[in-house]
Amino acid sequence: MNEHILLVDDEKEIADLIEVYLKNDGFIVHKYYNGIDALNCIASTRLDLAILDVMLPDIDGFRICRKIREKYFYPIIMLTAKVEDCDKIMGLTIGADDYITKPFNPLEVTARVKTQLRRYVRYNHASSAKTEETSAELDIQGLIINKNTHKCTLYGKEITLTPLEFSILWYLGEHRGNVISSEELFEQVWGEKFLDNNNTVMAHIGRLREKLGEPARKPKFIKTVWGVGYTIE
């Protein structure tokens, strides 16, 4: 595999255990027990995925997540001892791709890592592939989404989206006029079974609206049909 994984957790036993499992699966692990060292690694190392503990002694995982998203789109998995939905939603809203609550089975962590990397590789392959066909492009009232280049512009200004955010926006745009349930959106974009208490879709929709400058009460593009799902008209 040889993918480079950033692992940050101030609980030494947990970090060391995850490191062993990841290395056994062929990953190259950059392990740190604090945020400062992790930030230095982010700035100097080509990484493929980050695993961030939320509670760190110096810089919390949310701040590190934001720092990564300023420049990079590789997957981020958050680790936390908290179980409150608000913490999970915050992590997903600022750009995390997955969230694991302690205590956990190390095998679950490695499985989640592999899943996120598969999605990321598929996205990169799609965005870099050359095609002779006409570009698949949607133009929605000045919001232009190009599937071949994986670029999104709003009134001529490029909007930076993560792979998941782009996939959500493309799916809604491709099914313009239809109301898409959270269950359908999650299963089509994430490729996993949807659970009733899953707030992942809502968190990503919120972040998309923020990037598009959508007012919370009267969004122009992504509209909520209460009790049903989301639609782009």
Side-chain angles (χ1 to χ4, degrees):
M1 291 183 179
N2 296 325
E3 287 95 342
H4 289 251
I5 310 296
L6 171 66
L7 171 60
V8 191
D9 197 317
D10 64 329
E11 295 185 64
K12 188 176 185 298
E13 295 80 5
I14 292 178
D16 293 348
L17 183 61
I18 295 175
E19 180 187 29
V20 169
Y21 276 79
L22 290 174
K23 284 187 172 181
N24 284 343
D25 274 327
F27 296 108
I28 298 170
V29 180
H30 304 266
K31 179 184 64 179
Y32 301 97
Y33 304 124
N34 63 76
I36 294 296
D37 289 341
L39 290 176
N40 290 333
C41 176
I42 291 164
S44 62
T45 307
R46 184 194 64 79
L47 299 168
D48 298 291
L49 182 143
I51 302 173
L52 310 176
D53 185 25
V54 170
M55 301 299 292
L56 294 169
D58 49 359
I59 302 174
D60 66 56
F62 293 138
R63 288 177 61 189
I64 298 174
C65 179
R66 289 191 186 95
K67 193 67 178 177
I68 291 173
R69 284 291 174 253
E70 289 177 4
K71 293 181 63 176
Y72 307 108
F73 297 128
Y74 52 75
I76 298 174
I77 298 175
M78 306 296 293
L79 303 178
T80 182
K82 296 182 178 181
V83 295
E84 290 85 354
D85 280 347
C86 60
D87 293 304
K88 181 175 181 179
I89 291 172
M90 179 178 178
L92 295 170
T93 299
I94 63 176
D97 299 280
D98 203 354
Y99 216 93
I100 302 176
T101 303
K102 299 176 182 179
F104 48 74
N105 187 323
L107 290 173
E108 178 188 1
V109 178
T110 58
R112 299 277 193 99
V113 165
K114 292 174 183 177
T115 297
Q116 291 297 331
L117 286 172
R118 281 196 299 270
R119 291 176 185 154
Y120 187 58
V121 168
R122 283 202 303 268
Y123 166 77
N124 281 339
H125 176 75
S127 63
S128 62
K130 302 297 183 180
T131 177
E132 294 181 358
E133 298 177 0
T134 303
S135 296
E137 189 171 271
L138 300 175
D139 187 345
I140 307 167
Q141 305 177 65
L143 174 65
I144 299 176
I145 320 165
N146 190 300
K147 190 174 185 179
N148 290 337
T149 62
H150 277 249
K151 287 186 178 181
C152 172
T153 59
L154 179 60
Y155 310 132
K157 180 181 179 181
E158 185 170 348
I159 306 296
T160 302
L161 302 179
T162 67
L164 279 174
E165 290 166 353
F166 183 91
S167 296
I168 292 169
L169 190 58
W170 178 264
Y171 192 83
L172 290 173
E174 193 176 30
H175 296 82
R176 186 177 178 182
N178 298 326
V179 180
I180 307 299
S181 68
S182 293
E183 178 178 1
E184 178 182 347
L185 196 55
F186 185 84
E187 293 183 355
Q188 290 296 321
V189 173
W190 277 262
E192 298 177 3
K193 185 66 177 176
F194 179 82
L195 300 176
D196 290 340
N197 62 348
N198 195 325
N199 292 307
T200 303
V201 172
M202 180 177 67
H204 279 81
I205 291 291
R207 183 163 175 81
L208 266 173
R209 284 173 170 163
E210 180 182 337
K211 289 187 174 183
L212 295 173
E214 295 261 65
R217 294 185 177 275
K218 292 185 178 180
K220 179 179 179 180
F221 298 105
I222 305 175
K223 298 185 178 180
T224 300
V225 180
W226 294 107
V228 185
Y230 303 96
T231 184
I232 292 181
E233 297 178 346

